[in-house]
Amino acid sequence: DTGVSQNPRHKITKRGQNVTFRCDPISEHNRLYWYRQTLGQGPEFLTYFQNEAQLEKSRLLSDRFSAERPKGSFSTLEIQRTEQGDSAMYLCASSLVLTGGSYEQYFGPGTRLTVT
Amino acid sequence: DAKTTQPPSMDCAEGRAANLPCNHSTISGNEYVYWYRQIHSQGPQYIIHGLKNNETNEMASLIITEDRKSSTLILPHATLRDTAVYYCIVGYGNKLVFGAGTILRVKS
């Protein structure tokens, strides 16, 4: 399968613990995005990378959240000191962006986080 | 990003065409219209996008009005597997802003 993969698919953690999620984009894609989706809502943008550079962060991304894409390939999203309000589906997407073109994003299956 | 308006839900009979409308009256000149869908408990799936001209691919057709203030996604022969939430998004492909979407229920 050459699509976007995310691990783990499900994570249950206790409030106050740190969690880390991994996203592996489609191999030739240069942009990688993170979104969060709570029950009954559409996904909300969190941040995106162009290769290894983090180009934009939403104000939803509090200082407890950090994302990295160290070699421009896979990415990790870490949440420190989790809170119950962090319970959501965390979605990763990737795209191939060429100068002047339009492009679509391909999403992974998501990581469902439950904070107890 | 421009805001879109979609009906909250629609029903369609299996085998019939599903026509999903979207209003985007504040779209700017070089923003694209994108459609994604999300089947329960899965990540969103890209369907189609366009700028001014109508577009067709293996999944759907996209009809954009001449003034670009509205569009319609057409699934020509809906199946039960097309039951999903359909999102109409305007922008440049980056930083997608999802609204509530339209829940399409395909019924046998």
Side-chain angles (χ1 to χ4, degrees):
Chain A
D1 183 39
T2 57
V4 178
S5 62
Q6 293 187 245
N7 287 289
R9 295 292 308 278
H10 303 274
K11 179 70 176 178
I12 300 173
T13 191
K14 293 185 177 179
R15 188 178 55 182
Q17 297 295 305
N18 299 344
V19 294
T20 300
F21 311 139
R22 177 177 170 128
C23 171
D24 287 89
I26 294 171
S27 60
E28 67 270 22
H29 283 187
N30 52 0
R31 281 204 184 166
L32 187 148
Y33 311 81
W34 286 98
Y35 293 82
R36 180 175 69 185
Q37 185 173 25
T38 53
L39 209 59
Q41 305 296 316
E44 297 173 292
F45 169 80
L46 292 178
T47 188
Y48 85 91
F49 293 84
Q50 170 94 8
N51 300 313
E52 64 274 10
Q54 189 173 18
L55 295 188
E56 186 170 350
K57 293 194 291 186
S58 163
R59 60 175 181 268
L60 292 175
L61 212 66
S62 77
D63 56 7
R64 296 186 298 106
F65 288 69
S66 62
E68 294 182 342
R69 194 182 183 198
K71 296 182 180 179
S73 56
F74 73 92
S75 176
T76 58
L77 178 68
E78 181 183 17
I79 309 174
Q80 296 183 326
R81 305 180 304 281
T82 53
E83 301 173 355
Q84 287 187 321
D86 297 331
S87 295
M89 176 78 84
Y90 290 84
L91 293 159
C92 175
S94 70
S95 61
L96 176 62
V97 179
L98 303 173
T99 303
S102 63
Y103 45 91
E104 56 271 22
Q105 295 184 23
Y106 294 89
F107 283 79
T111 294
R112 181 164 296 284
L113 173 66
T114 302
V115 182
T116 63
Chain B
D1 290 328
K3 186 179 169 74
T4 61
T5 303
Q6 300 178 252
S9 66
M10 295 181 61
D11 290 339
C12 177
E14 188 178 21
R16 304 297 295 269
N19 296 278
L20 292 91
C22 180
N23 287 321
H24 33 78
S25 58
T26 59
I27 191 170
S28 66
N30 50 1
E31 285 184 309
Y32 287 79
V33 179
Y34 288 84
W35 284 84
Y36 285 78
R37 72 180 182 184
Q38 189 170 25
I39 296 169
H40 184 61
S41 296
Q42 297 182 19
Q45 178 189 24
Y46 166 79
I47 301 173
I48 198 167
H49 74 282
L51 183 62
K52 296 180 182 178
N53 300 320
N54 299 336
E55 301 288 344
T56 295
N57 63 19
E58 65 278 3
M59 289 184 67
S61 294
L62 174 61
I63 308 297
I64 302 173
T65 57
E66 193 169 345
D67 64 8
R68 302 210 326 123
K69 293 184 177 182
S70 65
S71 61
T72 301
L73 178 75
I74 301 171
L75 306 178
H77 305 287
T79 71
L80 298 177
R81 290 180 297 178
D82 292 322
T83 292
V85 180
Y86 287 77
Y87 297 102
C88 169
I89 300 167
V90 295
Y92 304 101
N94 209 30
K95 187 184 163 184
L96 298 174
V97 179
F98 290 81
T102 296
I103 300 172
L104 175 68
R105 300 183 187 91
V106 181
K107 300 183 176 182
S108 58

